[in-house]
Amino acid sequence: MSNKTSRPLYEQISTQVKTQIMSGELKAGEALPSIRSLAKSLQISILTVQKAYDLLQADGFIETTAGKGCFVSVQNQDFYLEEQQKKIEERLNEAIEIALASGIPLNKLINLLTLLYEED
């Protein structure tokens, strides 16, 4: 977690949990920390953690059971990967349209993508 990045904290939390699920570090059915305990351990607002968990649930990564907590979704990793690839394809298509309309050649677009990808 970093306050020095332009990405909001809830997105950072969401991305880290997604990465742990995709890598298998978090298994299907495994419980996540409660919203209160995670907020306390990270010293951030409960609302920030709630927003991160809401985002994870909307994306299908976690399921919430009233009174029991949040758990890693039992859907398989192939589903997650497919969903992420769809999002990437949509955004790359937008970038390609802009590049074509602006006369930016493919090699410059590839160089830009490479620079941005390696920057993180």
Side-chain angles (χ1 to χ4, degrees):
M1 306 297 304
S2 171
N3 288 326
K4 296 179 182 182
T5 180
S6 62
R7 293 182 53 219
L9 289 174
Y10 73 91
E11 282 185 11
Q12 293 179 52
I13 293 167
S14 175
T15 300
Q16 286 183 4
V17 172
K18 286 178 183 178
T19 300
Q20 290 175 338
I21 292 170
M22 294 299 294
S23 71
E25 190 175 334
L26 287 173
K27 309 280 185 221
E30 188 171 335
L32 296 177
S34 73
I35 291 170
R36 288 177 196 256
S37 69
L38 185 57
K40 187 175 181 178
S41 70
L42 295 175
Q43 298 180 334
I44 60 174
S45 167
I46 290 172
L47 296 175
T48 301
V49 177
Q50 177 68 54
K51 193 168 185 177
Y53 278 21
D54 287 347
L55 185 60
L56 288 163
Q57 185 166 348
D59 289 346
F61 282 86
I62 67 171
E63 299 168 351
T64 303
T65 305
K68 293 189 177 182
C70 297
F71 301 87
V72 175
S73 176
V74 296
Q75 297 177 9
N76 65 38
Q77 288 185 345
D78 291 339
F79 170 78
Y80 298 137
L81 187 55
E82 184 65 28
E83 288 298 309
Q84 297 309 307
Q85 286 175 345
K86 283 182 194 176
K87 289 179 185 178
I88 292 168
E89 287 174 18
E90 289 171 8
R91 290 189 174 96
L92 286 176
N93 279 328
E94 290 174 21
I96 289 168
E97 288 175 18
I98 294 168
L100 289 172
S102 304
I104 297 172
L106 177 60
N107 65 331
K108 283 193 177 182
L109 189 61
I110 291 170
N111 288 340
L112 178 58
L113 177 61
T114 303
L115 282 172
L116 292 172
Y117 188 86
E118 293 174 349
E119 187 174 271
D120 284 346

